[in-house]
Structures are given as C-alpha cells and as structure tokens.
Amino acid sequence: MTNYFTFFLIDKFHISVKDSQLYLFMFLAAVAVGTILGGKLGDKYGRKKIIWISILGAAPFTLCLPYLSLVWTIVFAVLIGLIIASAFSAILVYATDLMPDKIGLVAGLFFGFMFGMGGIGSAVLGAVADDTSIAYVFKICAFLPLMGVITAFLPNIKGSKKSN
C-alpha cells in the first residue's frame, strides 16, 4: 500500500501530488503509532491474539477501501495502518519467543524476508498495474489480509501465557 497509495489517490480522485503525499504521511504516521500500540497490546493481551486481530481486523477496511470517497479512503487508510501495523511488533517478539537463543538470527531473517518479499510483491503488483490499472491492484490487495487465517497454524508457546 505504501508504494502505490499516492498513485491510487491521484488516479482515482485526481488530487495533486502534494495532497497525495500528505495523505501518505497520514497513513505512515498511523503505521508508526500502530507498531507502538501493537507492542503494548501484545504484552498485555498476548501476541497471538494481537496477530489475529491485527491481520484479520483490517480485512473489512481493506475490502471497502477501493470503493470509498476520498474522505473515507483516508479515514480507512489510517485505520488500516493502525490495525495492520499493530501486528508487526507482536510477530517479531512471537518469532523470537520461538527461538529465544537465536534472537539476532530470527530478527535478521524476519526483516530480510519481510523486505525481500515486499520488494518482490511490489514488482509483481507494478507489472499488474502496468497491464491493468492501479485501481485493479488495490482491489486485489484488498483481499490480502484474509490470508491472516494462517495464524491458526502458529504454535502455542509453552510457559508464556502472553504469547498464546
């Protein structure tokens, strides 16, 4: 979303680059706040619960996003940023809980995989946008949070009630 949000706004709503970048900043600020809140909420309610809520909780908003007016698009984008980003810190800590003796390795693999997959996904979505439209890409991406159902396969971590 971060890579194509400005293009989506410009294409759909015919706004200026300056305005689209302001709206992107609002989304990214929500992501930053969501990341911090996710850590606190994960400590309080359990990391696995926060991962479930964060990933699947954004789905209703992402599914609506391509069909909204400008004002509601910005409101929903901020909510999506807050909700989805709250999973980030919970996922990272959950992963390090799985291999407590290899925290550096887990963190390195996590960030490397995340940025690598993000780059590949961005390139693929760019090719799809070139062949179709940026609006079509946003309609496809609206379904991605539904992949959060794979959270059901996460193991329960013994000895830590906060992780389950």
Side-chain angles (χ1 to χ4, degrees):
M1 187 159 157
T2 57
N3 293 330
Y4 296 108
F5 192 53
T6 56
F7 301 119
F8 173 73
L9 294 174
I10 292 167
D11 182 60
K12 183 172 181 184
F13 301 110
H14 309 289
I15 62 174
S16 69
V17 172
K18 181 181 176 184
D19 287 342
S20 70
Q21 290 176 341
L22 175 66
Y23 299 138
L24 176 63
F25 173 78
M26 292 168 66
F27 168 74
L28 292 173
V31 167
V33 171
T35 303
I36 294 167
L37 289 176
K40 289 184 167 282
L41 294 171
D43 290 341
K44 185 172 183 176
Y45 298 108
R47 291 178 262 297
K48 196 170 176 181
K49 288 177 188 172
I50 297 305
I51 294 168
W52 267 109
I53 293 167
S54 298
I55 296 172
L56 291 174
F61 299 105
T62 62
L63 290 167
C64 293
L65 190 71
Y67 308 101
L68 300 172
S69 68
L70 177 61
V71 171
W72 284 110
T73 296
I74 303 310
V75 169
F76 274 44
V78 167
L79 290 171
I80 290 166
L82 279 168
I83 295 168
I84 276 194
S86 65
F88 180 76
S89 51
I91 291 169
L92 183 59
V93 173
Y94 183 88
T96 58
D97 283 348
L98 290 173
M99 296 179 72
D101 296 336
K102 306 281 186 194
I103 291 175
L105 173 70
V106 170
L109 285 171
F110 183 86
F111 282 101
F113 182 74
M114 179 185 68
F115 286 112
M117 292 304 293
I120 291 168
S122 185
V124 169
L125 291 174
V128 172
D130 288 343
D131 289 342
T132 58
S133 70
I134 195 75
Y136 182 72
V137 167
F138 263 71
K139 288 176 184 175
I140 292 170
C141 290
F143 290 92
L144 292 178
L146 295 176
M147 290 174 41
V149 298
I150 63 173
T151 303
F153 298 108
L154 289 174
N156 291 324
I157 300 172
K158 295 186 192 274
S160 176
K161 290 182 182 179
K162 297 289 184 189
S163 297
N164 301 324

